[in-house]
Amino acid sequence: RASRSRREREREKGFRGCGSVMSTVKAVTDGMKPMRTKGPGPARASPLVHVSQRAARSRRERKSVRLAPVNVAMPKRPPTTHIASRSKVEIIKERSDYLRHPLLEDLVDNKPNVSNDSVQLIKFHGSYMQDDREARGLVIGKAYQFMLRTRQPGGFVSNKLYLTMDDLATDFGNGTLRLTTRQTYQLHGVLKNDLKSVFSTIIKSMGSTLGACGDVNRNILAPPHPYKNRKDYQHCQELAMNIADLLAPQSGAYYDVWLDGEKFLTAEREDPKVTADRAFNGFGTNFEGSPEPLYGAQFLPRKFKVAITVPGDNSIDVLTNDVAVVVMTDDDGEVTGYNILTGGGMGRTHNNQSTFPTLTEPLGYVDKDDIYHIMKAILATQRDYGRRDDRRQSRLKYLIHSWGMDKFRMVVEQYFGMKVQ
């Protein structure tokens, strides 16, 4: 049955209870051991293991446990006239009409650079304003130029896109085409007057730069697998594509700026389940009636990184991401569900002891049909509760560090509409 119908039935009868998971686990790689959670209780399975028995309780016992639905949008106390402190970037995003202004105006003036506000906005479109370091001291002022970064979920690149990027690097860039650790291309040395030509060419060559930078979901990693006989590896690539579509900005500003409002249609269409699950708003994940149903006018507090892999393959440093998804399969190689881990990130600020690198912590397990809903729930939690006053403290890892995993899991479950296993 459709995901919407199932979740509506779950809401009518209350959340599905799920007790402590006391599972027999089988390590996928040698040396892996169960991890114990803080305090008393059973050991939590390592994220890279196959859970052979998901719950010890019988179906009848689990049905006897009910949780009342919670309206996550309701404040705990009456609102006040006090306005929460926000960084300058938050104000710029809110006033931009979903990333349009003043970027549209800045692109048509005669200056070689864009304004400070547009410097922040153009990141969401996949570009950073820089200056030519080799020209410093040789010219008056700065020799402004722009870097463009593509969005390629799982690092997949068509032949046409590669040839296009190679030509653009020669014709409009500095002659170099760089590969990043997040499986994308970077094109350097583009002048402002050439930006529209470069962006439009990438889009019309089956590529995109939307969401490659900025306070949104970034490029999604997947193992660079050579295997043709492994369904789980193939599924990683498909899932990376679909989650990228699910969490992509929807307002159309990207096409207004670079294609004059014409949305270029590619041969690849979005999975209908992605479209349906994005629109579902049974538990408060979406802004109803907004051009950006998941991000709203202010988008996320900070960048949001996702990686997908299979048990035993850590070629993409999966545990250093905001969200890590581990694909779980049965004996026949068919996908059954996913282990979800959250809160990783290696960045820190020099001489600021309140910032730190950390790895992900286990959040739980979800069935195959629920993967898009749990991704929306995690994103909504970060969107609504992540700090917006200090960008150095705005990543998901700091929210989890402040709350603890138990509280974070509880809030995610409210947006998810049921318990994670």
Side-chain angles (χ1 to χ4, degrees):
R1 297 184 181 179
S3 177
R4 174 185 290 273
S5 299
R6 180 186 66 79
R7 298 177 75 83
E8 287 176 348
R9 290 198 304 272
E10 291 286 356
R11 192 176 189 185
E12 290 174 0
K13 68 182 182 180
F15 293 156
R16 180 177 65 187
C18 182
S20 300
V21 179
M22 301 179 63
S23 306
T24 303
V25 297
K26 176 183 177 182
V28 177
T29 56
D30 294 337
M32 290 187 176
K33 299 180 180 179
M35 296 182 296
R36 184 164 297 279
T37 56
K38 296 181 179 180
R44 182 182 299 278
S46 169
L48 301 183
V49 298
H50 180 76
V51 181
S52 60
Q53 182 183 1
R54 297 190 193 136
R57 295 187 180 184
S58 67
R59 182 180 298 274
R60 180 177 301 176
E61 289 173 331
R62 290 190 347 201
K63 284 186 176 181
S64 65
V65 181
R66 300 296 183 198
L67 294 177
V70 177
N71 187 339
V72 296
M74 291 296 293
K76 293 183 179 180
R77 58 184 180 183
T80 67
T81 57
H82 174 71
I83 300 176
S85 175
R86 292 184 295 167
S87 69
K88 293 181 179 179
V89 176
E90 295 298 319
I91 307 299
I92 293 171
K93 290 187 290 184
E94 184 179 40
R95 296 175 177 175
S96 69
D97 187 21
Y98 300 95
L99 311 178
R100 291 178 174 87
H101 306 288
L103 182 58
L104 279 167
E105 293 78 9
D106 288 349
L107 290 174
V108 295
D109 63 23
N110 295 321
K111 299 177 181 179
N113 61 304
V114 296
S115 65
N116 290 335
D117 286 5
S118 291
V119 167
Q120 300 300 326
L121 298 180
I122 201 171
K123 294 177 183 179
F124 291 80
H125 296 261
S127 180
Y128 285 88
M129 187 174 76
Q130 302 172 335
D131 71 289
D132 187 352
R133 297 180 181 180
E134 295 182 0
R136 291 176 182 176
L138 302 178
V139 298
I140 299 175
K142 293 184 177 181
Y144 289 104
Q145 58 185 21
F146 291 79
M147 178 274 285
L148 279 73
R149 181 184 297 157
T150 58
R151 188 192 73 178
Q152 299 156 203
F156 180 81
V157 183
S158 66
N159 293 341
K160 182 177 181 180
L161 180 59
Y162 167 72
L163 293 173
T164 297
M165 297 299 297
D166 189 54
D167 289 340
L168 290 174
T170 302
D171 297 340
F172 296 100
N174 63 5
T176 66
L177 184 60
R178 307 181 188 185
L179 300 178
T180 75
T181 56
R182 291 202 71 80
Q183 302 174 331
T184 68
Y185 284 130
Q186 282 189 183
L187 185 65
H188 290 256
V190 180
L191 301 180
K192 192 181 85 169
N193 290 339
D194 295 327
L195 280 176
K196 202 161 189 175
S197 297
V198 175
F199 270 101
S200 61
T201 301
I202 292 173
I203 295 169
K204 293 178 180 179
S205 300
M206 312 290 287
S208 178
T209 63
L210 177 61
C213 318
D215 301 337
V216 291
N217 175 58
R218 297 292 189 88
N219 196 55
I220 297 179
L221 300 181
H225 66 91
Y227 311 112
K228 300 297 183 182
N229 60 341
R230 290 281 300 270
K231 295 180 181 179
D232 50 353
Y233 276 98
Q234 296 176 23
H235 182 75
C236 284
Q237 181 63 55
E238 295 171 2
L239 186 61
M241 294 283 193
N242 287 340
I243 294 180
D245 288 342
L246 175 77
L247 304 182
Q250 299 293 308
S251 73
Y254 183 67
Y255 302 98
D256 289 345
V257 173
W258 307 114
L259 292 179
D260 297 325
E262 176 187 359
K263 188 169 183 179
F264 185 77
L265 298 179
T266 67
E268 297 181 8
R269 300 298 179 89
E270 184 175 273
D271 187 328
K273 179 172 171 55
V274 171
T275 306
D277 287 0
R278 184 196 299 116
F280 176 77
N281 193 31
F283 303 99
T285 54
N286 294 22
F287 293 100
E288 291 287 355
S290 172
E292 288 292 352
L294 297 183
Y295 293 118
Q298 290 185 250
F299 295 83
L300 297 180
R302 205 68 165 80
K303 56 189 174 184
F304 189 81
K305 296 183 176 181
V306 179
I308 305 167
T309 191
V310 301
D313 188 330
N314 195 29
S315 59
I316 56 174
D317 279 342
V318 67
L319 303 181
T320 64
N321 290 266
D322 293 277
V323 181
V325 179
V326 184
V327 178
M328 308 306 295
T329 60
D330 58 21
D331 294 337
D332 296 325
E334 299 296 332
V335 176
T336 57
Y338 310 91
N339 282 344
I340 309 295
L341 304 94
T342 56
M346 301 306 290
R348 64 181 299 269
T349 302
H350 181 62
N351 283 337
N352 187 336
Q353 299 302 317
S354 65
T355 64
F356 51 83
T358 187
L359 300 178
T360 57
E361 300 180 42
L363 178 71
Y365 174 92
V366 298
D367 292 330
K368 180 181 179 180
D369 289 341
D370 292 326
I371 183 60
Y372 303 140
H373 293 294
I374 193 64
M375 294 303 300
K376 285 176 56 180
I378 296 170
L379 183 139
T381 302
Q382 163 66 351
R383 177 197 70 202
D384 293 347
Y385 294 98
R387 289 184 60 173
R388 293 183 181 268
D389 60 329
D390 185 351
R391 291 181 64 80
R392 292 169 295 184
Q393 296 284 330
S394 295
R395 290 289 296 275
L396 180 64
K397 63 182 179 180
Y398 296 113
L399 178 63
I400 295 176
H401 177 72
S402 174
W403 280 1
M405 180 53 72
D406 290 340
K407 179 178 178 180
F408 178 77
R409 184 182 295 110
M410 178 186 69
V411 176
V412 168
E413 288 170 345
Q414 291 175 354
Y415 286 108
F416 185 45
M418 64 180 74
K419 288 278 189 179
V420 295
Q421 301 179 35

